[in-house]
């Protein structure tokens, strides 16, 4: 005779409840951008070195270029590379993903450096566990990170300031659109830019607003500044999507019968995403500071693999940066852009 809890309908109900709980947990973790491959990395069944690249924002075109470089270097060296990141830029989510990587006992972590106490703490934890951390694109020199690979962001910002002085003759009313007030690399770019122009009496910094590393956010920030400062005639965007957002805002202003009459505004940006290069060709963007994201990813992986192989590596590897204007495009398109 069956006990009550052994009756068939009780068993069926129990199975259905367990299935419901499993499905709910699956969708909950998916909503958090949980990566199944990160939860249980098969070290015991895969002798290859397993690395993870954690981006600032998963589908940001700039970070996808970093991924391509990293993946190419990993494949050439027969290493495995996971690429993950927040769906939208989020410090807390990025740190959560780093914590997941540490918990999985990955062989090495490459990620953007963060100016955040939690970041410093999790990097220390990783290093204590023998998991090396290399920062990419943005450094965190106060952390115990193994090395930094990327642009000298202060020097790149200074370069942008000098380009603006050259193109404006030292006379401009400037609005700065920056991706984040808290990102270390963007703060360094802004400081470099400000130091470059501070001795120019004809250059005034009217305002600075945050775009949240988002094209729409950049357009909104630029629009607000253009409305609030009638004399504004120049924009400087510090992150990859800022110049595109500013250009979109200027295009919208031209279609607005109630907008200010003077929309002949100069734009200086960062990075060489295809649309930015097209905007330079059209004369909408005056100049951009071109970095080497592909090189950052590739060199980051190479340094990590060298370290894991017992070799000594440099603690700072600065990749190149240069100014691109319309007159530079023929050479750039001829092969100088990589």
């Amino acid at each position: 005779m069956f006990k009550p809890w052994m009756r068939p309908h009780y068993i069926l109900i129990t199975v259905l409840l367990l299935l419901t709980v499993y499905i709910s947990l699956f969708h909950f973790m998916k909503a958090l951008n949980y990566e199944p491959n990160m939860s249980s990395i098969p070290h015991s069944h895969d002798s290859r070195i397993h690395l993870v690249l954690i981006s600032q924002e998963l589908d940001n075109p700039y970070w996808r270029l970093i991924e391509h470089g990293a993946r190419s270097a990993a494949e050439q060296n027969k290493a495995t590379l996971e690429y993950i990141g927040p769906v939208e830029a989020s410090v807390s989510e990025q740190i959560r993903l780093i914590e997941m990587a540490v918990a999985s006992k990955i062989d090495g972590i490459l990620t953007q450096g963060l100016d955040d106490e939690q970041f410093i703490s999790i990097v220390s934890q990783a290093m204590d566990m023998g998991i090396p951390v290399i920062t990419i694109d943005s450094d965190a020199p106060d952390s115990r990170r193994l090395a930094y690979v990327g642009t000298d962001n202060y020097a790149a910002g200074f370069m942008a300031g000098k380009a603006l002085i050259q193109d404006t003759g030292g006379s401009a009313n400037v609005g700065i659109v920056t991706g984040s007030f808290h990102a270390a690399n963007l703060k360094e770019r802004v400081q470099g830019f400000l130091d470059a122009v501070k001795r120019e009496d004809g250059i005034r910094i009217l305002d600075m607003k945050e775009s949240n590393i988002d094209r729409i956010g950049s357009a909104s920030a630029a629009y607000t500044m253009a409305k609030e400062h009638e004399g504004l005639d120049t924009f400087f965007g510090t992150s990859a999507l800022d110049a595109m957002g500013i250009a979109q805002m200027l295009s919208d202003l031209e279609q607005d019968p109630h907008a200010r009459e003077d929309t002949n505004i100069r734009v200086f940006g960062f990075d060489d995403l295809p649309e930015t290069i097209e905007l330079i060709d059209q004369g909408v963007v005056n100049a951009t500071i071109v970095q080497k994201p592909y090189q950052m990813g590739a060199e980051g992986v190479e340094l990590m693999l060298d370290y894991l192989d017992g070799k000594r590596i440099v603690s700072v590897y600065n990749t190149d940066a240069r100014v691109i204007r319309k007159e530079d495009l023929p050479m750039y398109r001829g092969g100088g852009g990589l």
Side-chain angles (χ1 to χ4, degrees):
M1 181 176 181
F2 285 111
K3 294 181 181 180
W5 56 272
M6 289 292 289
R7 291 174 184 167
H9 66 276
Y10 282 109
I11 295 173
L12 179 60
I13 291 171
T14 301
V15 170
L16 289 174
L17 283 172
L18 287 172
L19 183 61
T20 302
V21 169
Y22 174 81
I23 293 171
S24 299
L25 281 172
F26 175 81
H27 287 288
F28 175 71
M29 300 309 286
K30 187 176 180 182
L32 287 176
N33 193 36
Y34 190 88
E35 295 287 336
N37 289 338
M38 289 297 301
S39 63
S40 55
I41 295 173
H43 290 286
S44 59
H45 304 292
D46 188 351
S47 61
R48 293 189 300 177
I49 290 173
H50 208 138
L51 308 177
V52 62
L53 171 62
I54 302 174
S55 66
Q56 180 185 42
E57 186 176 72
L58 188 66
D59 284 323
N60 184 296
Y62 176 83
W63 274 93
R64 284 296 185 180
L65 289 173
I66 294 176
E67 178 207 0
H68 291 161
R71 196 169 295 286
S72 175
E75 289 173 356
Q76 288 175 18
N77 289 279
K78 294 182 171 55
T80 299
L81 179 80
E82 301 283 350
Y83 174 73
I84 59 175
V87 175
E88 296 181 354
S90 164
V91 170
S92 61
E93 179 67 2
Q94 190 174 338
I95 288 172
R96 186 187 71 84
L97 292 172
I98 297 170
E99 290 172 341
M100 284 172 51
V102 172
S104 74
K105 298 181 181 179
I106 197 96
D107 293 315
I109 299 170
L110 301 102
T111 189
Q112 181 195 43
L114 299 173
D115 185 12
D116 186 278
E117 288 298 325
Q118 285 184 286
F119 179 81
I120 292 173
S121 176
I122 192 61
V123 169
S124 291
Q125 182 182 339
M127 297 298 288
D128 286 341
M129 293 174 61
I131 303 171
V133 178
I134 290 179
T135 53
I136 302 284
D137 181 58
S138 178
D139 198 8
D142 293 334
S143 72
R144 289 172 56 199
R145 58 92 174 120
L146 178 67
Y148 166 65
V149 179
T151 304
D152 180 333
N153 284 292
Y154 177 88
F158 197 91
M159 188 185 299
K162 288 297 186 183
L164 184 144
I165 293 170
Q166 181 178 341
D167 289 11
T168 64
S171 177
N173 295 312
V174 183
I176 300 174
V177 178
T178 188
S180 168
F181 289 143
H182 307 291
N185 59 332
L186 302 184
K187 291 195 290 185
E188 290 170 4
R189 292 176 194 176
V190 170
Q191 190 58 57
F193 178 84
L194 295 176
D195 286 350
V197 304
K198 67 182 179 182
R199 298 184 185 278
E200 299 293 325
D201 293 335
I203 294 180
R204 295 192 303 148
I205 307 300
L206 301 182
D207 204 348
M208 179 167 68
K209 294 192 184 297
E210 195 174 24
S211 69
N212 294 316
I213 315 175
D214 179 78
R215 179 172 176 163
I216 295 174
S218 174
S220 176
Y223 178 80
T224 300
M225 282 190 277
K227 287 290 189 182
E228 292 177 351
H229 304 282
E230 191 171 336
L232 189 151
D233 56 24
T234 306
F235 279 109
F236 170 49
T238 71
S239 58
L241 301 177
D242 289 338
M244 289 186 282
I246 294 165
Q248 183 60 56
M249 183 277 298
L250 294 176
S251 176
D252 292 343
L253 277 184
E254 289 179 355
Q255 310 302 319
D256 184 355
H258 305 293
R260 52 189 278 179
E261 294 182 6
D262 178 21
T263 56
N264 185 26
I265 294 176
R266 294 165 293 217
V267 181
F268 296 82
F270 250 85
D271 297 318
D272 57 343
L273 297 179
E275 188 171 342
T276 301
I277 296 302
E278 184 61 29
L279 290 167
I280 291 175
D281 200 17
Q282 295 170 4
V284 178
V285 173
N286 294 66
T288 190
I289 305 299
V290 173
Q291 303 183 90
K292 301 289 185 179
Y294 184 95
Q295 183 188 10
M296 291 179 199
E299 294 294 347
V301 167
E302 293 285 357
L303 281 182
M304 181 69 79
L305 294 175
D306 281 349
Y307 176 79
L308 293 171
D309 195 35
K311 299 175 183 176
R312 294 185 64 181
I313 65 170
V314 297
S315 61
V316 175
Y317 186 108
N318 286 140
T319 51
D320 298 331
R322 62 188 176 116
V323 181
I324 293 290
R325 297 180 175 86
K326 186 171 183 175
E327 57 266 30
D328 301 313
L329 291 183
M331 182 177 294
Y332 169 87
R333 285 169 168 160
L338 296 177

